[in-house]
Amino acid sequence: TNSEFYGCTLIGDSGGDVCLNTSGYTSGSLKNCAVFGFGSFKGASGTFTATYTATDLGSLSGTGNVVGLTFADQFESTTSDFRALSTGDLQAGTPDATNTPDDITGLDRDDTTPWMGCWEVDGGGGLNPLLLFGRDMRGGLKPMTGGLAV
């Protein structure tokens, strides 16, 4: 059995290791993930693979990975708001309709180069489901203060 992570954003604050597999798992994998603030990737047992994963580390073996990125240039905030910036370098993922057809808010992923991590950036000017339904991922539900005209 495998420990698998798809379209995840993993943020560390101590420079420790990302342990992708633990006791009971024979391997671990990352795909279309954004992983920042860790010192290294390792497995407690077995092996791990990373594909189309973005990181601030200087190297990461695997296909399509983007390394050496500046953490602050990729997210709205480095302390509390890890939504991908449209000006960042995370739009380098690979389509995966099976595991991550949409992002954490339900927004469809780009058909050709989706964003790595859990947030897709909506470049088409569409409505963000977070704003439409008054959902704030950092603070739970909040009341709507405006209306919607269709």
Side-chain angles (χ1 to χ4, degrees), residues 2 12 16 32 36-37 41 44 48 63 68 73 76 83 85 88 95-96 99 107 110-111 126 130 134 139 141:
N2 297 327
N32 285 333
F36 290 83
F41 292 84
F48 78 91
T63 304
D73 294 345
E76 293 288 335
R83 289 177 294 148
L85 280 173
D96 186 354
N99 299 300
L107 185 66
D110 186 278
D111 292 335
L130 280 176
L141 293 176

Side-chain angles (χ1 to χ4, degrees), residues 38-96:
F38 294 95
S40 68
F41 292 84
K42 72 175 191 176
S45 62
T47 60
F48 78 91
T49 59
T51 56
Y52 295 94
T53 292
T55 182
D56 53 353
L57 293 176
S59 66
L60 179 62
S61 62
T63 304
N65 296 323
V66 181
V67 299
L69 298 177
T70 301
F71 179 37
D73 294 345
Q74 310 311 315
F75 303 99
E76 293 288 335
S77 165
T78 59
T79 59
S80 62
D81 187 351
F82 303 116
R83 289 177 294 148
L85 280 173
S86 63
T87 56
D89 301 301
L90 299 181
Q91 191 177 14
T94 187
D96 186 354

Side-chain angles (χ1 to χ4, degrees), residues 96-121:
D96 186 354
T98 301
N99 299 300
T100 53
D102 50 19
D103 78 350
I104 193 170
T105 69
L107 185 66
D108 289 342
R109 296 277 186 175
D110 186 278
D111 292 335
T112 55
T113 51
W115 294 78
M116 296 171 172
C118 63
W119 294 95
E120 188 75 9
V121 174

